[in-house]
Amino acid sequence: KAGVTQTPRYLIKTRGQQVTLSCSPISGHRSVSWYQQTPGQGLQFLFEYFSETQRNKGNFPGRFSGRQFSNSRSEMNVSTLELGDSALYLCASSFGQGAYTDTQYFGPGTRLTVL
Amino acid sequence: QKEVEQDPGPLSVPEGAIVSLNCTYSNSAFQYFMWYRQYSRKGPELLMYTYSSGNKEDGRFTAQVDKSSKYISLFIRDSQPSDSATYLCAMSGDTNAGKSTFGDGTTLTVKP
């Protein structure tokens, strides 16, 4: 069974630009969560989508947004990039049905560098 | 104060040692406790998953949860150089695994 895939793997942007990252979950998984990982702040939750609806949201500014498509693939967008947005962006998928055995599986991440 | 605090490390041990990795938390609602391993330049990989208090063993790995003390641990027996990685504890407050709170990670190096 294929794992979570993320594209692109690496991205370099300049301040003020916007960026879109893509995540394809494991087949059958309907929940997709996004996390930001930086050396200083660790792994921080951005948002979760389930069945095309945002189900949970972390404490990030409105410049960070996302969406999910009917095939469960998800995209996240960051507008007006700042230097502090440089990070590894991780996507994780799960069934999202709430069973106690439901766990998240992570993709390899997209490393975003903002210059 | 962070909801999840993880022993920062780094830890360096000789091959064959027993390793103990620990996290404390403040949110009583957490019921689901996970340990992830992350190699450099890779995404986290789920190692262990525990629901509520108790112990769970999987090969060389044992996860312990003490909800009364709000303390969780991961023990690695007979550590190997291939165990060298960053270990992250994570917790979730309900059956939805989609929003997990992570510790900052402990970097482990196992020397041959």
Side-chain angles (χ1 to χ4, degrees):
Chain A
K1 189 156 139 175
V4 178
T5 58
Q6 291 186 246
T7 56
R9 293 293 310 279
Y10 301 92
L11 210 47
I12 299 175
K13 292 285 189 180
T14 56
R15 277 183 301 174
Q17 288 187 308
Q18 75 166 19
V19 66
T20 299
L21 312 181
S22 181
C23 172
S24 292
I26 291 172
S27 178
H29 284 186
R30 292 166 64 190
S31 168
V32 173
S33 297
W34 289 89
Y35 294 85
Q36 180 195 67
Q37 188 175 34
T38 60
Q41 298 295 321
L43 229 160
Q44 293 186 288
F45 173 76
L46 279 155
F47 30 66
E48 181 210 5
Y49 286 86
F50 180 79
S51 292
E52 302 178 65
T53 301
Q54 189 179 84
R55 185 159 69 174
N56 284 298
K57 188 177 188 309
N59 297 321
F60 277 81
R63 301 185 297 107
F64 292 82
S65 62
R67 59 178 175 169
Q68 187 179 35
F69 302 95
S70 58
N71 61 358
S72 294
R73 191 178 69 85
S74 177
E75 289 181 347
M76 70 162 279
N77 184 276
V78 187
S79 62
T80 320
L81 283 167
E82 300 177 359
L83 294 178
D85 296 334
S86 294
L88 181 67
Y89 289 89
L90 291 158
C91 162
S93 77
S94 66
F95 287 108
Q97 297 292 343
Y100 80 92
T101 54
D102 188 24
T103 56
Q104 294 183 97
Y105 296 88
F106 281 82
T110 294
R111 185 162 296 279
L112 172 65
T113 302
V114 182
L115 303 176
Chain B
Q1 185 185 359
K2 291 186 175 182
E3 280 189 299
V4 178
E5 299 279 359
Q6 184 167 358
D7 287 354
L11 274 179
S12 180
V13 302
E15 184 175 354
I18 295 175
V19 176
S20 172
L21 304 165
N22 308 292
C23 290
T24 58
Y25 62 95
S26 57
N27 189 340
S28 300
F30 288 146
Q31 299 184 71
Y32 302 91
F33 304 92
M34 287 76 70
W35 285 96
Y36 288 86
R37 177 174 62 195
Q38 186 174 23
Y39 291 113
S40 181
R41 301 283 178 179
K42 302 280 189 182
E45 167 196 12
L46 180 68
L47 270 178
M48 302 281 288
Y49 179 88
T50 310
Y51 170 65
S52 198
S53 283
N55 293 358
K56 185 174 183 178
E57 188 172 321
D58 184 2
R60 297 185 294 110
F61 298 90
T62 300
Q64 285 186 351
V65 174
D66 182 349
K67 290 189 72 178
S68 63
S69 302
K70 297 189 178 67
Y71 189 87
I72 73 170
S73 299
L74 177 71
F75 297 95
I76 307 174
R77 289 183 300 280
D78 188 25
S79 55
Q80 303 295 310
S82 59
D83 295 328
S84 298
T86 296
Y87 290 80
L88 299 153
C89 63
M91 309 176 189
S92 181
D94 54 32
T95 55
N96 172 19
K99 179 186 177 182
S100 294
T101 304
F102 283 76
D104 287 345
T106 302
T107 298
L108 170 68
T109 301
V110 180
K111 297 185 175 180

